[in-house]
Amino acid sequence: MSMLLGLFLAPLLAGLIHRVKAFFAGRQGRPLLQLYWDLARLVRKHMVLSRTTTPVFLLGPALSLVSLLACLTLIPLGGPALLRFPGDILLFLGLLALVRFATVLAAMDTGSSFEGMGASREVAIGALAEPGIFLSLAVLVVQTRALSLSGIWARSGPELWSRAGLVMVLVGIAMFLLLLAENSRIPVDDPNTHLELTMIHEVMVLDHSGPALAVIEYASALKLWIGSLLLSSLVFPLHSGSAWLDLLGGVGVVFLVALAVGLVESTSARLSMLRVPQFVGLSSALSLLALFLVIR
Amino acid sequence: MKPEILSYPEFSKKLAGRHLAALMGLPGRSGSVLMVAVTTPGAPSAGEEAGACPPGGLQLPATVVEGTFPSLTLEHPQAHGFEREFFEEWKVRPEGHPWLKPVRFPQGQPGLTDFFKVSGEEIHEVAVGPVHAGVIEPGHFRFQCRGEEVLHLEISLGYQHRGVEKALPGASPARSMAYVETLAGDTSVGHALAWCRNLEALAGIRVSARAEALRAVALELERLANHCGDLGALAGDVGYLPTASFCGRLRGDLLNLTGLACGNRFGRGWIRPGGVAWDLEPVRAEQIRTRLAGIMRDVRQALDLLGRSGSVQARFERTGILTREAALELGLVGPVARASGVALDCRRQFPWGPYLDPAFPVCTGLLGDVACRARVRIDEMEVSAAFLDSLLAHLPEGPLRVGMRAMAPKAFSVSLVEGWRGQICHVAATDTQGHLLACKVVDPSFRNWFGLALALRGQQISDFPLCNKSFNLSYCGHDL
Amino acid sequence: MLRVVTWAEQPSDWWGWLLVLTGLVSGILGVVFALAQHDLKRLLACHSVENLGIIALGLGLGLLGLSGGSPLAAALGLGGGLLHVWNHAWFKSLLFMGAGALGKATGSLQIESGGGLLRRMPGTGGAFLVGSAAISGLPPLNGFVSEFLIFMSALELLASVHPLAGAAGLGGLALISGLAVACFTKVCGVVFLGEPRSPGAQKATEIRGSMLVPMLLLAGLCLLVGVMAPLGIGVLGAPLQQLAPQADLEPIRGSLGWVAALGGLVLLAGLGLGHALSRRPSQPGMTWDCGYSRPTARMQYTAASFAGPLLEMFSFVLKPRHHGSPLEGHFPAPVGHHGEVCDPFTQRLYEPISRSLMRLALRVRVFQHGEVQLYLLYILITLVALFIWEAL
Amino acid sequence: MLKALLARLNQGHRTAVGIPEALPDRTLGRPRFQPVRCAEGCSECARVCPTAAIVPGQTLDLGSCLFCGECARVCPHGAVRFGRSPAMAVRRRSDLVLSGPDLQLAEALDEQALRLFGRSLRLRQVSAAGCNACEADVNVLGTLTFDLARFGIDFVASPRHADGLLVTGPVSRNMREALLKTWQAVPAPRLVVAVGACAISGGPCFDHEQTCGGTDGLLPVDLYVPGCPPNPWTILDGLLRLLGRLEGPEAG
């Protein structure tokens, strides 16, 4: 159920963020369902394939979408996840690394300096973000003594917040910053810009078209969903006793996270590319601080 | 004024310490070319009070060249672009020019030139354009990069070459107005004004005070709209949503004010030889004045937000620095040069009509970074808004348009107008029958492009769009 | 080493700590230096340093588990470390063979002179890609399985007896694997993808089958160990039972089963989706070049530029040197640029030592005349001196 | 953040609801051409036309017209009059050549294309020697007032992501190859929109050897938007008609 929700609602998040930004700008803005229409159009279009490219070009997006779908089976939402076993956290992170490996190689396959530039930025940010994600999840592991995402979900919640509020706040902030960085949002990347030289994510997919682009767009919507879901299920889970209420609450928090992303994008400027590592490092530092508070 | 024909060494000496507004060729006797320079006084030194450059002081040194001549660029770097253009047009080679590359590729094959190259297996080139990512004109940018750092940027234009300058002298009056109003679409008023003032000078007529005032209104509205748009675009480039959206809308509102006055949002069809085509009745003038006040209130608020945002200022400051020395040596103009502390402004140097105020403010900056270029634009908007307000309140009386007369034979005329991008220089010469023989158009972009290339050295490539916006130059104004 | 360490009934903490720290330092430095290399063989050598670091880290965590009384962590750490020894042997041989094939086909081991080789050498390229994914610790390949065990050990320690070591191991290994992904995307992207960057790469062809088959076999092995992970634990079961008898490995086997199943499924589904995509109607074209008519191979990202942002962050250890004259004037003349990263051990440890040894040797040469009598005299003096010393 | 919110409240919601029926009073909208009124032998209009867009007594080519209004000003018989309606975009080049007062406005794409693009259309803008006025008016469509994105239309960076080209400028000889390369980079099915007199007919440079005289003959144009530059409302009106979002003779 939670998996299906993710599959269907993920593209809505992008629409929601756009609506928040449109409100702040004072315009009507894109329809909420725009990404659904975009995807419907893209899958029916042809592709232009560069003569330079190899099967890696199409395999990259395919593998990353499938990996993200696999990730979705591991995250709890309003109830334990479809699949749960000790150490599923590690598989989850491994799959995210696979996503990065696949998209970066698909970008490099075109032999364009733009895609290379985006790929270089992506791996730099990714390599720095990796410890941050591990450490923030580690804090939750220590706090809940659970080795699986569903286990953390089961033992996290208001009780944990009252016991270790500060730590949870730190972890929450760290994970939110990572969400911004990993999903190419302001202040790390600007999803709205059309300028090749400043982009990260968009510039990596400059050559993909048609169904392949649809796969990429859908995958990045899923990635945003998964990132928000982690925050919702692990940091702010609801345990009301009713599974339906928990589910509703979980989805609500996911949308709140998207709202917060929109708010950040509406009111702050992008960082200079030189500052991005510091920004990503900050999230690692925050989770490290939380970790020390926990194991001290 | 007539060009003063000198020997080559004297000619070269005459350029020292002066600002080269234009360099053009006129057909001479038996295959030789008369090279005419239009020079204006150089900038006052940095210490002097801003805007101290006194009015007047135009000079027209000229010399006869044939086959080859020693390049002026070595001594006067600001001649580099003019000499390349000269070579392309007249096939007279400036010997020793360090960088004799095509400017406009009139024979086709744009972008086919030896780009400056930093060798080494680590260096990669980024080639951007001609088709850019945004909704902008085409041009080719070649970066030599090591990682994210730009070692060198070379700009190769010419994609927009339409042959307008060549077509100008023989065109019908109606068509030549269409040409000059599309020389650089966002500077329709500036170029139309420079063109008409030349024709009027050649015909020896004076336009009325009212027409001059209305022309000034058109020119300043154009400046306001474009500066406002630029500031919004700068905010957009660093992803700062509020100012970007507000200024984008306000720019449209400012264009609409011009549209209200003459029916065209870019001021096309407003300025005509002998005066202006559209009047501002008192009601309309008052309407523009009130709407302008409202727009400026919103503009101030949007810009205040920009100034207060630390994350924006961090991106603007110390990005894309252009030193005063470089700006002077390369003869840069307009807000770009003023942001680097070069206090030159044609409204002060060659004033006319309502600008005949010895205290007309010239806005300058010190550092020459993106922040300064933004600041100068903000200051100039305030100056223009105040100027417009008083102008619209007291429009002088007089006829809109006086009839044109035949132009003087064998005459030479220079017109300098401070467009929103900077000094626009039009030169026109007539033949023995009083028909136009040759025209020269120098858009401010022609000079400033090189300044952009220089400002990018050692910068992060991701800052290029920001620097580019802070210059915001015209491609077709360069390519003609 | 493991043998020796486990002789003792209860290993003391500091052994584990020492191994963890050595592992972290060598792992992180190894991968950072690898990132800076221009030569494929040197790069792979640096990765060996990194992988030995991972192995040491696993063993160290395991020892800490033993000493702290967490048999599960011990079994996981030691098992992961041991498994990684195997895995490393496989994917590293695969990668070295790939490098050899590359050198043979293009005549150069410089990364920057590769490019577009996957089209020209699909077998080598495919095998190398699998090896790269394996060494980067990506599911569903063998590298992920051993790193999974080590990570699990760190998580166990974190939640129980040695939280600090667990945290260090976790963060360190995460950084290492993040950087490894960066490094191998660089190699694969620059060498195998895009357009050829040198004449050698331009005319490269696939190598002989006899060289190709072992690579393909090894690649298959990497995959097999990955998707047969639960069996792998079975193989390790016996030694682990000895090392950490109390550990209950059943849940781990279950987890590995899921890992293998889901990983395998992802791979299959990914291939399927990729195939489905390639069947969609398409039109051939050129890589988008902004409409510019004369693109060159120089307009591709170079390996150095690709790794640039990361190297910049680690410049305090790498101390990169750049040679090249700065651009002067408004119209500069063409210049060259070259950058390199020197090995700090060669530069700051071995070289000074060997230099002082040489100096010493030169001084000692005074005694060397080549005359037999003198040498006899030296021996005599030495003997006398020894006797005196003995007598004292 | 509070400041930004306050500023937003101050600046207000700015998106216009519909396309205005009439442009401001001095702005020249859709002309009413009545050659029947022309007197024999009168060619005042042709004399002042900068682009030879008008043939007295016969045709007025909106694709060449720069909307300078000189013809209407000099015509003694009122054969040319400019109205204020922004709706002017057409689907066929021949529709722009007026021989009477009627203008066949653009009809929607066929049903199959509408199913594809009706709610989502991505365009790649190519300026082929445009003077930056058309470009500016296309850019304006993204601002608060016009808010193009609310109709599902957007401009994208890469032609690979696009469903069509929006071309401005007379297509200089130097831009010809780049334009064609961009076209080839757009995956099928795809559209072409020509915006402005230059892109339709070459504009003031219609007979220059340095230009190709517009997009016609190079690309299959699906929508022509006349003007120099077209008012943003004219462009928006044309795009919405193309997508079947707007029907009828006047803008709604």
Side-chain angles (χ1 to χ4, degrees):
Chain A
M1 178 65 203
S2 64
M3 171 113 187
L4 285 179
L5 269 181
L7 286 180
F8 286 111
L9 291 184
L12 195 59
L13 284 191
L16 189 70
I17 295 178
H18 269 292
R19 264 332 213 333
V20 174
K21 291 170 73 171
F23 166 77
F24 262 85
R27 70 168 82 209
Q28 191 182 330
R30 276 182 211 185
L32 269 176
L33 301 182
Q34 186 62 49
L35 190 52
Y36 296 93
W37 305 124
D38 291 351
L39 292 174
R41 168 180 54 88
L42 284 171
V43 292
R44 285 181 287 167
K45 285 206 64 169
H46 289 211
M47 289 186 290
V48 181
L49 292 180
S50 163
R51 290 185 193 90
T52 310
T53 54
T54 63
V56 172
F57 184 67
L58 294 179
L59 213 54
L63 260 180
S64 43
L65 177 62
V66 173
S67 309
L68 287 168
L69 288 177
C71 284
L72 207 55
T73 62
L74 298 174
I75 314 180
L77 169 62
L82 195 62
L83 296 181
R84 49 190 185 276
F85 51 87
D88 59 6
I89 303 176
L90 298 172
L91 181 60
F92 172 78
L93 295 170
L95 287 171
L96 285 187
L98 181 62
V99 171
R100 178 167 307 124
F101 190 77
T103 41
V104 164
L105 283 187
M108 296 288 283
D109 198 15
T110 59
S112 150
S113 53
F114 298 123
E115 267 103 332
M117 196 184 304
S120 156
R121 290 169 184 166
E122 166 81 10
V123 294
I125 293 174
L128 290 183
E130 198 107 326
I133 307 175
F134 268 93
L135 289 175
S136 49
L137 286 177
V139 177
L140 295 172
V141 167
V142 180
Q143 288 280 304
T144 59
R145 314 258 148 188
L147 287 180
S148 80
L149 294 169
S150 298
I152 296 178
W153 167 80
R155 294 185 208 165
S156 174
E159 185 268 333
L160 188 55
W161 272 87
S162 60
R163 184 153 53 83
L166 178 63
V167 171
M168 294 305 275
V169 168
L170 286 175
V171 171
I173 295 176
M175 283 174 77
F176 184 67
L177 296 186
L178 287 167
L179 171 86
L180 294 178
E182 282 275 308
N183 287 289
S184 320
R185 316 297 312 193
I186 285 179
V188 173
D189 190 6
D190 182 358
N192 274 14
T193 185
H194 288 325
L195 306 164
E196 298 106 337
L197 300 179
T198 67
M199 300 189 279
I200 301 173
H201 178 259
E202 278 288 300
V203 77
M204 284 170 61
V205 302
L206 218 52
D207 263 84
H208 286 91
S209 52
L213 183 64
V215 166
I216 291 171
E217 299 248 323
Y218 186 53
S220 60
L222 267 185
K223 198 172 173 192
L224 185 63
W225 173 269
I226 287 172
S228 320
L229 196 56
L230 271 191
L231 261 172
S232 154
S233 291
L234 304 189
V235 185
F236 307 101
L238 203 65
H239 298 296
S240 60
S242 149
W244 284 105
L245 211 59
D246 287 359
L247 190 69
L248 214 63
V251 174
V253 176
V254 168
F255 283 115
L256 281 181
V257 172
L259 220 62
V261 172
L263 213 61
V264 170
E265 297 213 335
S266 300
T267 52
S268 66
R270 265 185 82 173
L271 290 170
S272 145
M273 214 52 95
L274 286 174
R275 294 288 160 97
V276 168
Q278 293 167 19
F279 178 84
V280 182
L282 177 68
S283 67
S284 300
L286 284 177
S287 19
L288 206 59
L289 180 63
L291 196 57
F292 278 120
L293 284 179
V294 174
I295 64 180
R296 142 192 73 125
Chain B
M1 244 176 121
K2 286 260 190 286
E4 172 191 8
I5 301 178
L6 306 164
S7 71
Y8 184 83
E10 277 178 61
F11 170 79
S12 175
K13 214 179 288 166
K14 269 277 195 188
L15 301 184
R18 308 219 2 126
H19 174 80
L20 184 61
L23 188 75
M24 70 181 293
L26 289 172
R29 276 183 217 96
S30 63
S32 66
V33 184
L34 183 68
M35 183 161 71
V36 185
V38 178
T39 71
T40 63
S45 68
E48 288 175 57
E49 188 227 339
C53 195
L58 189 77
Q59 287 180 2
L60 297 173
T63 189
V64 178
V65 291
E66 204 175 347
T68 66
F69 65 97
S71 170
L72 294 167
T73 304
L74 300 173
E75 266 180 67
H76 314 290
Q78 52 173 328
H80 76 100
F82 291 115
E83 282 193 326
R84 284 164 61 181
E85 186 190 32
F86 196 84
F87 174 55
E88 200 166 79
E89 198 177 337
W90 299 97
K91 307 281 173 276
V92 180
R93 177 181 283 274
E95 278 306 324
H97 191 293
W99 217 332
L100 199 57
K101 303 180 184 191
V103 183
R104 306 200 167 101
F105 299 91
Q107 313 308 327
Q109 301 231 313
L112 184 67
T113 171
D114 282 336
F115 286 95
F116 169 79
K117 206 177 198 176
V118 181
S119 54
E121 73 277 16
E122 293 182 346
I123 307 302
H124 66 101
E125 288 182 6
V126 181
V128 185
V131 179
H132 296 294
V135 182
I136 42 171
E137 299 172 62
H140 186 74
F141 296 78
R142 187 71 67 88
F143 298 87
Q144 310 284 325
C145 291
R146 193 175 58 81
E148 297 267 331
E149 186 193 356
V150 179
L151 299 173
H152 188 265
L153 161 63
E154 188 169 343
I155 302 170
S156 177
L157 302 178
Y159 292 92
Q160 297 277 69
H161 183 53
R162 296 164 294 169
V164 177
E165 196 184 54
K166 268 260 153 51
L168 263 174
S172 72
R175 193 163 179 193
S176 61
M177 275 319 291
Y179 278 143
V180 290
E181 283 178 340
T182 55
L183 272 175
D186 45 25
T187 322
S188 292
V189 172
H191 276 292
L193 189 55
W195 173 253
C196 291
R197 282 170 58 78
N198 256 349
L199 296 188
E200 287 148 11
L202 289 170
I205 57 171
R206 281 192 65 92
V207 301
S208 72
R210 187 172 183 85
E212 280 190 324
L214 290 176
R215 286 175 166 191
V217 170
L219 191 64
E220 295 307 318
L221 277 177
E222 186 172 82
R223 189 182 325 276
L224 277 176
N226 281 301
H227 279 0
C228 180
D230 282 356
L231 288 165
L234 281 175
D237 266 351
V238 296
Y240 189 63
L241 191 68
T243 307
S245 348
F246 299 153
C247 279
R249 188 264 298 180
L250 291 163
R251 168 171 186 264
D253 290 355
L254 284 163
L255 288 176
N256 285 340
L257 289 188
T258 309
L260 193 68
C262 71
N264 184 297
R265 287 155 40 92
F266 296 86
R268 292 180 182 176
W270 198 352
I271 290 164
R272 284 292 176 264
V276 291
W278 295 98
D279 194 14
L280 289 182
E281 319 81 295
V283 183
R284 204 179 286 265
E286 197 48 41
Q287 200 185 349
I288 292 180
R289 197 166 155 234
T290 15
R291 275 170 68 173
L292 181 64
I295 292 172
M296 282 308 291
R297 206 169 42 241
D298 286 358
V299 166
R300 279 181 205 113
Q301 189 182 37
L303 294 179
D304 181 56
L305 225 47
L306 189 74
R308 278 168 194 271
S309 163
S311 52
V312 171
Q313 293 306 315
R315 291 292 307 276
F316 281 10
E317 277 163 19
R318 284 181 292 283
T319 303
I321 292 181
L322 185 78
T323 61
R324 183 173 194 275
E325 291 69 39
L328 272 180
E329 277 183 23
L330 294 167
L332 304 192
V333 293
V336 168
R338 288 195 284 275
S340 296
V342 177
L344 290 179
D345 188 326
C346 290
R347 290 174 292 178
R348 180 81 168 256
Q349 285 181 283
F350 302 97
W352 48 273
Y355 294 109
L356 284 165
D357 165 13
F360 193 89
V362 175
C363 310
T364 55
L366 280 176
L367 288 175
D369 55 0
V370 172
C372 279
R373 289 191 279 276
R375 188 76 245 165
V376 165
R377 284 187 170 92
I378 294 174
D379 293 346
E380 288 192 357
M381 282 186 81
E382 288 296 345
V383 170
S384 293
F387 175 76
L388 268 180
D389 189 64
S390 69
L391 201 59
L392 286 167
H394 312 284
L395 282 175
E397 289 305 316
L400 279 187
R401 201 168 165 182
V402 292
M404 282 297 285
R405 277 181 283 189
M407 290 188 281
K410 293 188 78 174
F412 195 89
S413 167
V414 176
S415 146
L416 291 159
V417 168
E418 187 72 21
W420 65 275
R421 272 198 191 96
Q423 184 191 64
I424 299 168
C425 179
H426 280 216
V427 186
T430 52
D431 60 12
T432 46
Q433 268 91 50
H435 297 309
L436 281 177
L437 169 72
C439 298
K440 176 85 208 141
V441 174
V442 186
D443 189 83
S445 309
F446 185 73
R447 265 173 289 224
N448 286 3
W449 275 116
F450 202 83
L452 171 62
L454 212 59
L456 247 282
R457 274 192 205 166
Q459 294 288 309
Q460 294 287 301
I461 193 166
S462 52
D463 281 335
F464 169 72
L466 181 62
C467 290
N468 187 21
K469 274 298 154 36
S470 75
F471 279 74
N472 192 11
L473 302 173
S474 168
Y475 299 73
C476 61
H478 174 280
D479 294 344
L480 299 173
Chain C
M1 186 159 64
L2 202 58
R3 193 66 3 122
V4 178
V5 167
T6 44
W7 276 344
E9 269 303 299
Q10 184 75 14
S12 40
D13 269 7
W14 70 267
W15 295 352
W17 274 112
L18 189 67
L19 275 177
V20 167
L21 287 182
T22 337
L24 281 180
V25 169
S26 111
I28 294 177
L29 283 185
V31 69
V32 167
F33 274 97
L35 207 52
Q37 297 307 318
H38 298 290
D39 180 288
L40 190 52
K41 276 214 167 118
R42 289 181 71 133
L43 181 140
L44 291 176
C46 286
H47 268 289
S48 297
V49 175
E50 174 227 318
N51 277 295
L52 288 177
I54 295 179
I55 294 166
L57 180 65
L59 297 183
L61 291 174
L63 288 182
L64 284 173
L66 275 185
S67 69
S70 166
L72 187 56
L76 287 168
L78 296 175
L82 286 177
L83 191 59
H84 204 72
V85 175
W86 275 9
N87 289 339
H88 180 224
W90 290 332
F91 53 64
K92 192 46 77 58
S93 339
L94 164 59
L95 292 172
F96 267 117
M97 282 159 104
L102 205 70
K104 196 168 161 51
T106 67
S108 165
L109 281 172
Q110 290 296 310
I111 295 171
E112 310 277 15
S113 55
L117 291 179
L118 186 58
R119 287 182 85 85
R120 287 167 178 75
M121 311 167 65
T124 312
F128 198 93
L129 276 179
V130 173
S132 303
I135 198 174
S136 310
L138 296 177
L141 297 165
N142 59 351
F144 178 72
V145 177
S146 40
E147 287 189 20
F148 177 85
L149 293 176
I150 299 174
F151 270 126
M152 279 300 275
S153 163
L155 279 177
E156 273 297 327
L157 286 178
L158 189 65
S160 57
V161 288
H162 274 296
L164 202 60
L170 206 61
L173 192 51
L175 185 63
I176 294 173
S177 50
L179 289 172
V181 168
C183 189
F184 276 94
T185 46
K186 168 183 115 168
V187 175
C188 294
V190 173
V191 174
F192 289 102
L193 305 177
E195 288 287 337
R197 297 154 191 268
S198 70
Q202 186 85 51
K203 54 180 200 287
T205 48
E206 186 60 279
I207 48 159
R208 268 182 322 194
S210 59
M211 281 177 80
L212 193 58
V213 168
M215 275 196 281
L216 293 177
L217 278 180
L218 281 170
L221 208 55
C222 287
L223 187 62
L224 203 66
V225 174
V227 294
M228 296 284 173
L231 294 182
I233 267 289
V235 177
L236 278 175
L240 284 186
Q241 279 303 318
Q242 273 194 340
L243 290 169
Q246 302 93 349
D248 175 18
L249 291 176
E250 223 27 66
I252 295 303
R253 191 163 306 172
S255 293
L256 281 178
W258 280 114
V259 165
L262 204 56
L265 206 63
V266 163
L267 189 65
L268 276 181
L271 288 174
L273 183 57
H275 182 69
L277 277 181
S278 68
R279 299 292 293 272
R280 300 282 311 177
S282 66
Q283 53 204 78
M286 279 177 69
T287 296
W288 175 235
D289 53 3
C290 299
Y292 184 66
S293 33
R294 280 160 274 276
T296 67
R298 261 170 69 86
M299 290 175 204
Q300 298 187 75
Y301 229 57
T302 58
S305 292
F306 184 83
L310 277 172
L311 295 183
E312 197 70 29
M313 290 167 216
F314 289 98
S315 57
F316 60 95
V317 271
L318 288 169
K319 309 254 184 262
R321 288 191 236 167
H322 297 293
H323 312 288
S325 43
L327 307 185
E328 273 167 15
H330 301 317
F331 315 100
V335 294
H337 190 98
H338 176 68
E340 63 182 339
V341 170
C342 296
D343 182 359
F345 295 102
T346 322
Q347 201 184 327
R348 275 171 250 157
L349 190 68
Y350 303 145
E351 278 186 3
I353 291 179
S354 69
R355 257 200 306 272
S356 38
L357 273 179
M358 279 302 282
R359 238 175 285 140
L360 197 68
L362 280 177
R363 295 224 184 106
V364 176
R365 244 173 84 170
V366 185
F367 300 107
Q368 193 176 5
H369 308 280
E371 287 177 38
V372 183
Q373 297 92 324
L374 270 178
Y375 287 132
L376 285 175
L377 186 66
Y378 290 156
I379 293 171
L380 197 65
I381 293 172
T382 318
L383 277 176
V384 170
L386 275 176
F387 276 124
I388 294 170
W389 191 60
E390 192 62 51
L392 285 172
Chain D
M1 188 183 291
L2 204 61
K3 273 260 173 211
L5 200 59
L6 278 178
R8 156 68 178 86
L9 291 177
N10 232 322
Q11 306 245 353
H13 182 83
R14 291 291 184 159
T15 305
V17 177
I19 294 176
E21 283 191 19
L23 297 168
D25 65 341
R26 284 178 177 175
T27 306
L28 304 187
R30 195 165 79 213
R32 197 174 159 75
F33 182 55
Q34 291 165 293
V36 286
R37 292 189 173 195
C38 284
E40 196 67 34
C42 167
S43 62
E44 278 300 293
C45 49
R47 191 177 57 80
V48 295
C49 183
T51 53
I54 193 162
V55 181
Q58 293 178 25
T59 55
L60 166 62
D61 183 2
L62 274 191
S64 302
C65 180
L66 301 184
F67 292 78
C68 63
E70 288 296 331
C71 46
R73 215 166 288 151
V74 296
C75 181
H77 314 290
V80 194
R81 283 200 194 122
F82 282 88
R84 284 163 61 186
S85 163
M88 277 187 277
V90 302
R91 290 291 306 276
R92 283 171 298 273
R93 177 71 178 89
S94 55
D95 288 347
L96 284 175
V97 185
L98 303 181
S99 50
D102 296 326
L103 175 65
Q104 173 64 47
L105 289 177
E107 60 256 28
L109 291 164
D110 63 61
E111 206 161 307
Q112 203 184 352
L114 274 191
R115 267 205 301 277
L116 200 55
F117 300 132
R119 287 176 177 278
S120 160
L121 179 68
R122 295 284 175 277
L123 294 173
R124 166 70 264 196
Q125 198 274 339
V126 179
S127 166
C131 70
N132 207 22
C134 288
E135 287 79 355
D137 270 349
V138 169
N139 257 329
V140 153
L141 292 179
T143 62
L144 309 183
T145 318
F146 302 93
D147 195 18
L148 193 61
R150 72 187 142 135
F151 303 108
I153 311 173
D154 247 328
F155 291 99
V156 288
S158 165
R160 293 273 205 276
H161 301 182
D163 306 310
L165 299 184
L166 188 148
V167 186
T168 55
V171 190
S172 61
R173 211 172 42 190
N174 285 353
M175 266 308 283
R176 188 172 176 274
E177 190 188 350
L179 176 64
L180 293 178
K181 285 187 78 169
T182 313
W183 173 242
Q184 281 153 14
V186 179
R190 48 198 174 170
L191 307 171
V192 178
V193 180
V195 169
C198 288
I200 299 172
S201 67
C205 304
F206 60 92
D207 55 356
H208 287 200
E209 57 161 3
Q210 291 91 343
T211 72
C212 305
T215 321
D216 256 341
L218 292 175
L219 302 176
V221 181
D222 295 276
L223 183 72
Y224 296 88
V225 186
C228 182
N231 192 284
W233 289 122
T234 306
I235 309 176
L236 186 60
D237 174 89
L239 287 173
L240 293 186
R241 281 175 197 276
L242 189 70
L243 295 186
R245 296 256 184 126
L246 209 58
E247 274 162 21
E250 285 303 322

